[in-house]
């Protein structure tokens, strides 16, 4: 049995640095590679893709990631855990098997595919049985938007991933599991932490929270002394070096850029934080106020003292639904008096909306800008050298939004002067897929593990 | 004396639906108590007037010398619904750090607080 387990984070979201997974398995010893692809917004994007093509709906970057680390998996026994399955984990598994065929590695990859998070086929039954799936923010019952629902996925905890590892899977693909479960699962698997060992489970969750956003804890997007953070071009993604007692250190491979310090880790700890006394997950309720941090070396921070409390009897459900249309357009106004010109353009536009009888659920104007129009001539004062007028509208009526997209270009010839930045053409109308967070009784969600070879 | 929050703290922010969270971390442990005293929910709500439509909740994390704020109604509906550039509240962190605190001169000297120039 290992006394120390190293879990490397290789992706913090779908769209993260493609080189990171390979750098993590080649930069030094690691036991597991954890890849987090899902955010609230990601699920709705994946759902749109699955609508267009039933074989899609997963994070396709994952196929390239596995391709880049295949040797480490097959030769060196590094195991990969990813929520790349999105709204279609089986299709994701199929894509990985197709890759294994292509690379002559069929038979060497054992996939664990975790399903059971998808509640969409059971939604009407659940509502009929009295599960209101009320919006956690507004309290409205799901019935109010039932006909517009596109997807409904429960956040699954670490248990089915632990099962997949116990079955010998060397690649585990999940759908909407919690981000933190991806790190917690190998720790439970390796150390045999009990299901009511709340303090250790909370430590696993907090380890997961620290590394789930990739380099965001190791120097990326770090405000603290950002000017002196070295070599971000080669930033090292974080690694949890964990012990059986639930203490762990955050490290990165030697020779990589970035920085792991108490402030960099603290910034990640408070990221997307609600009530720090109760960080609720399917496995445990973690107490972020109990965390203690200590720098134990260069780019090495020890995390200890963590307390946890029993898990609740609910699971969070992420529901995506159609919620109207939006479009955002931009025009750039240049020096002199850029701000005054942009302000006038905004006023002209809004008057024209009124003349056309256009009404929107929301109109938002923002003014953005520094030096794209006059280059170095703009100097470094940045006092109103240029302003990008950015205006967006939202409506349940698609035709209203379509009409809006035709009103920006005319301003180039019939509005305020010194205008540019219109070459992109008319703004695009987007259908809004909105997010509906809800809770459901744990007992109605039954995750399953399929082993595919 | 006037003290700019950016000179005594760092911060990170993110989103949960239409709510932005802002974690504010004291640059020195001895400055945390001042933050606890000065950065009340009411003070922060007033600072973000015009940027948020809901209330402000505050949580203390003394081990980390940090405060966590939830700013409700900050993101124009949040996520995919929002028309804002900062639809996920990523730079509410630095918006928070624009806050100017009034600190008695003697206390400022004792704590070694940097003076906000201008």
């Amino acid at each position: 049995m290992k006394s120390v387990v190293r879990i490397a984070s290789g992706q913090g979201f779908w769209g993260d640095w493609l080189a990171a997974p390979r750098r993590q398995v080649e930069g030094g010893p690691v036991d597991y590679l954890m890849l987090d692809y899902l955010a609230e917004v990601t699920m709705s994007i994946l759902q749109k893709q699955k609508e267009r093509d039933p074989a899609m709906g997963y994070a396709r970057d994952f196929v390239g990631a596995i391709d880049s680390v295949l040797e480490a998996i097959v030769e060196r026994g590094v195991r990969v855990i990813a929520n790349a399955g999105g709204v279609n984990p089986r299709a994701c598994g199929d894509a990985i098997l197709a890759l294994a065929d292509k690379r002559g590695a069929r038979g060497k990859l054992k996939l664990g595919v975790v399903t059971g998070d998808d509640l969409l086929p059971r939604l009407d039954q659940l509502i009929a049985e009295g599960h209101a799936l009320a919006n956690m923010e507004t309290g409205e019952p799901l019935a109010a938007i039932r006909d517009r629902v596109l997807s409904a996925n429960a956040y699954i905890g670490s248990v089915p991933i632990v099962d997949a590892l116990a079955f010998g899977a060397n690649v585990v693909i999940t759908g909407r599991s919690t981000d933190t479960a991806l790190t917690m699962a190998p720790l439970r698997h390796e150390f045999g932490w009990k299901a009511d060992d709340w303090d250790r489970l909370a430590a696993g969750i907090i380890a997961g929270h620290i590394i789930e956003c990739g380099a965001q804890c190791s120097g990326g997007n770090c405000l603290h002394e950002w000017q002196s953070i070295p070599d971000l071009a080669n930033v090292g993604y974080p690694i949890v070096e964990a012990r059986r007692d639930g203490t762990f250190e955050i490290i990165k491979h030697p020779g990589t850029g970035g920085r792991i310090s108490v402030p960099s880790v603290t910034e990640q700890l408070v990221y997307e934080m609600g009530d720090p006394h109760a960080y609720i997950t399917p496995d445990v309720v973690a107490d972020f106020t109990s965390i203690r941090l200590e720098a134990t070396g260069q780019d090495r921070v020890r995390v200890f003292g963590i307390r946890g409390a029993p898990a609740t009897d609910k699971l969070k459900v992420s529901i995506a639904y159609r919620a109207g249309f939006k479009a955002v357009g931009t025009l750039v106004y240049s020096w002199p008096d850029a701000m005054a010109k942009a302000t006038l353009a905004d006023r002209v536009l809004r008057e024209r909306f009124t003349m056309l009888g256009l009404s929107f659920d929301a109109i938002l104007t923002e003014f953005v800008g520094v030096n794209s129009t006059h280059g170095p001539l703009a100097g470094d004062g940045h006092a109103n050298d240029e302003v990008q007028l950015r205006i967006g509208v939202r409506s349940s009526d698609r035709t209203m939004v379509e009409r809006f997209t035709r009103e920006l270009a005319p301003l180039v010839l019939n509005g305020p002067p010194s205008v540019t930045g219109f070459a992109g053409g008319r703004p695009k109308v987007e259908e809004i897929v909105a997010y509906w967070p809800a809770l459901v009784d744990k007992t109605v969600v039954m995750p399953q593990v399929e082993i595919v070879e | 004396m006037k003290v700019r929050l950016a000179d005594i703290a760092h911060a990170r922010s993110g989103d949960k639906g239409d709510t932005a969270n802002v974690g504010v971390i004291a640059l020195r442990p001895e400055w945390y108590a001042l933050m606890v005293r000065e950065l009340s929910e009411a003070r922060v709500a007033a600072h973000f007037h015009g940027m948020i439509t809901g209330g402000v909740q505050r949580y203390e994390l003394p081990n980390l010398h940090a405060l966590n704020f939830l700013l409700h109604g900050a993101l124009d509906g949040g996520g995919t619904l929002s028309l804002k550039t900062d639809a996920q509240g990523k730079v509410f962190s630095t918006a928070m750090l624009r806050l100017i605190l009034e600190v008695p001169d003697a206390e400022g000297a004792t704590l070694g607080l940097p003076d906000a120039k201008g």
Side-chain angles (χ1 to χ4, degrees), chain A residues 26-111:
Chain A
E26 291 181 354
V30 301
D31 303 299
Y32 291 86
L33 178 65
M34 181 283 285
L35 307 172
D36 176 19
Y37 287 98
L38 299 184
E40 289 171 359
V41 172
T42 318
M43 293 297 278
S44 56
I45 297 168
L46 290 171
Q47 187 57 40
K48 278 185 180 174
Q49 296 187 348
K50 189 184 175 188
E51 266 187 32
R52 285 196 290 270
D53 180 349
M56 290 294 154
Y58 60 91
R60 278 167 294 161
D61 284 0
F62 181 60
V63 181
I66 291 295
D67 197 25
S68 74
V69 301
L70 196 60
E71 282 178 357
I73 299 171
V74 171
E75 317 275 327
R76 297 183 358 233
V78 173
R79 302 170 95 176
V80 180
I81 302 168
N83 55 9
V87 295
N88 205 352
R90 284 194 187 90
C92 183
D94 290 344
I96 297 302
L97 288 180
L99 169 73
D101 279 334
K102 203 174 90 189
R103 292 278 310 267
R106 192 70 182 248
K108 291 176 184 165
L109 280 190
K110 193 172 191 178
L111 306 186

Side-chain angles (χ1 to χ4, degrees), chain A residues 294-365:
Chain A
E294 177 190 19
T296 43
Q298 171 97 29
D299 294 311
R300 183 174 273 274
V301 170
R302 180 170 171 257
V303 187
F304 61 105
I306 292 166
R307 307 295 303 270
T312 73
D313 58 359
K314 304 278 187 199
L315 288 181
K316 192 169 170 185
V317 184
S318 155
I319 296 164
Y321 68 101
R322 296 179 201 281
F325 302 88
K326 70 175 183 179
V328 177
T330 62
L331 289 171
V332 174
Y333 288 87
S334 188
W335 182 93
D337 304 319
M339 185 62 191
K341 293 165 186 164
T343 307
L344 173 58
D346 180 52
R347 199 163 69 232
V348 168
L349 262 179
R350 287 170 183 255
E351 282 174 27
R352 288 181 185 163
F353 295 163
T354 307
M355 286 154 60
L356 286 163
L358 298 181
S359 66
F360 300 103
D361 298 336
I363 307 178
L364 181 77
T365 304

Side-chain angles (χ1 to χ4, degrees), chain A residues 137 216 221 223-224 267-268 270-274 276 289-291 326 364 366 390 392-394 432-433, chain B residues 10 12-13 15-17 21 23 25 27 59 61 63-64 68 70 76 80-85 90 97:
Chain A
E137 287 172 14
Q216 201 171 226
N221 190 30
L223 184 61
H224 183 258
E267 280 194 28
Q268 177 56 23
V270 298
Y271 178 65
E272 291 185 349
M273 153 105 334
T289 68
S290 65
I291 302 170
K326 70 175 183 179
L364 181 77
E366 293 178 332
R390 183 182 182 280
V393 301
R394 189 167 65 221
I432 299 168
V433 177
Chain B
H10 60 119
R12 182 170 291 173
S13 57
D15 69 314
K16 280 285 170 215
N21 103 285
I25 307 149
L27 286 170
Y59 298 98
L61 294 102
N63 283 2
L64 302 176
N68 185 42
L70 299 183
D76 186 32
T80 54
L81 208 62
S82 180
L83 298 171
K84 292 169 70 91
T85 296
K90 301 285 187 181
L97 296 180

Side-chain angles (χ1 to χ4, degrees), chain B:
Chain B
M1 66 187 285
K2 289 188 192 317
V3 177
R4 189 182 301 277
L5 190 57
D7 294 329
I8 63 166
H10 60 119
R12 182 170 291 173
S13 57
D15 69 314
K16 280 285 170 215
D18 196 18
T19 298
N21 103 285
V22 184
V24 184
I25 307 149
L27 286 170
R28 293 190 197 165
E30 63 268 29
W31 294 343
Y32 175 65
L34 177 79
M35 278 174 26
V36 173
R37 190 185 74 207
E38 294 294 326
L39 294 179
S40 63
E41 289 175 348
R43 182 74 201 278
V44 170
H47 179 66
F48 282 103
H49 179 75
M51 278 183 81
I52 63 174
T53 57
V56 171
Q57 272 169 289
R58 186 184 89 164
Y59 298 98
E60 298 176 21
L61 294 102
N63 283 2
L64 302 176
H65 318 299
L67 294 171
N68 185 42
F69 293 91
L70 299 183
L71 312 179
H72 297 289
L75 303 173
D76 186 32
T80 54
L81 208 62
S82 180
L83 298 171
K84 292 169 70 91
T85 296
D86 191 21
Q88 286 165 285
K90 301 285 187 181
V91 295
F92 269 78
S93 51
T94 45
M96 173 76 88
L97 296 180
R98 287 172 171 267
L99 213 145
I100 303 280
L101 308 178
E102 263 315 327
V103 182
D105 288 348
E107 185 185 11
T110 308
L111 288 172
L113 295 176
D115 205 341
K117 300 284 186 294

Side-chain angles (χ1 to χ4, degrees), chain A residues 132-145 148 321 436-438:
Chain A
L133 295 163
N135 188 307
M136 286 170 72
E137 287 172 14
T138 65
E140 243 189 311
L142 185 68
I145 55 139
R148 291 188 279 146
Y321 68 101
W436 179 283

